[in-house]
Amino acid sequence: MARVSQAHLDARRRQILDGAARCFARNGFHGTSMQDVLHEVGLSAGAVYRYFTGKDDLIAAIAGEAVGSVRQAFEEAARVGPPPAPDVLIGRVTRTLFSGETHGMDRRAYAGLIVQVWSETLRSERLAATLDEAYGGLRLAWAELVEVYREAGVLAADVPSDHVARTLIATAQGFIVQLAMFGDAAPEVLENGLRGLMSMDLQKIS
């Protein structure tokens, strides 16, 4: 029997994940059956179960990829020096995340899938643990950048780095929710809004 290459195995796994993601985006996690996934990807049950034990396994894999893509987008945006201002940073992150099709779906559908993943953590301990670990790593990574802002003298010393990091993450999360729900969110809107808030002269209202 001819040996199957790792590239072939990776491509087949990718095919299954992309098909499952499209099903979940259309019908939700609970409205999608494994039969739906099999029909979407055009594979036998044996071929799919070789890679994933069931729907929960697929959901966990897609959730891990979604969180990983957020962290990767941040790391790519923050890799340049000197570090970009928060408005530029968030703009780069959201552009990287939604620059094209993901899993063969447009950016609004992909944002909707991410929101579904978040909501699913309320019922799935496995998924909650996966996202909790990923979120903790993301907070640490963003807090390190906040420390760079502080060392550069552009951030007040009395604000905990973790608080700033969580606020930046929440801003990106809010953008994803708006994109999923309304479809009219764009990275430049978020970037311009943050720039406007950052330009406020607080002495005039204190």
Side-chain angles (χ1 to χ4, degrees):
M1 182 183 297
R3 184 178 180 181
V4 178
S5 69
Q6 186 60 47
H8 174 82
L9 295 173
D10 291 344
R12 181 55 55 86
R13 186 177 188 276
R14 178 81 270 146
Q15 177 188 355
I16 297 167
L17 277 177
D18 288 348
R22 292 192 298 271
C23 287
F24 294 146
R26 283 197 306 266
N27 303 316
F29 291 137
H30 302 291
T32 298
S33 67
M34 283 302 293
Q35 281 300 121
D36 295 328
V37 175
L38 297 179
H39 179 74
E40 180 74 21
V41 299
L43 296 173
S44 67
V48 172
Y49 285 115
R50 177 180 182 180
Y51 297 88
F52 301 98
T53 60
K55 191 167 71 170
D56 286 346
D57 204 21
L58 280 166
I59 293 171
I62 290 170
E65 282 195 348
V67 176
S69 66
V70 173
R71 182 165 186 171
Q72 182 179 359
F74 163 76
E75 290 174 347
E76 290 177 0
R79 194 170 291 141
V80 299
D87 58 324
V88 176
L89 176 68
I90 294 295
R92 288 178 182 172
V93 168
T94 52
R95 284 188 181 90
T96 300
L97 276 174
F98 300 103
S99 60
E101 288 193 348
T102 304
H103 297 301
M105 63 185 76
D106 62 27
R107 63 179 193 167
R108 183 175 185 179
Y110 181 49
L113 181 64
I114 293 175
V115 172
Q116 283 194 66
V117 167
W118 293 339
S119 65
E120 189 68 8
T121 63
L122 300 177
R123 63 165 293 276
S124 169
E125 291 184 2
R126 175 187 179 184
L127 196 55
T130 298
L131 263 66
D132 186 65
E133 180 181 357
Y135 178 59
L138 193 61
R139 281 170 55 188
L140 287 174
W142 286 54
E144 290 177 3
L145 181 69
V146 173
E147 284 300 315
V148 175
Y149 290 149
R150 197 188 312 282
E151 291 170 4
V154 297
L155 182 69
D158 61 342
V159 180
S161 297
D162 181 62
H163 293 189
V164 179
R166 291 176 70 154
T167 299
L168 288 170
I169 294 170
T171 301
Q173 289 175 318
F175 168 84
I176 293 171
V177 171
Q178 284 194 17
L179 179 56
M181 294 180 65
F182 309 115
D184 62 348
E188 57 268 22
V189 173
L190 181 63
E191 189 172 354
N192 290 339
L194 281 173
R195 184 180 301 113
L197 289 172
M198 291 163 56
S199 68
M200 291 175 62
D201 187 350
L202 298 181
Q203 292 183 345
K204 292 184 178 180
I205 58 175
S206 60

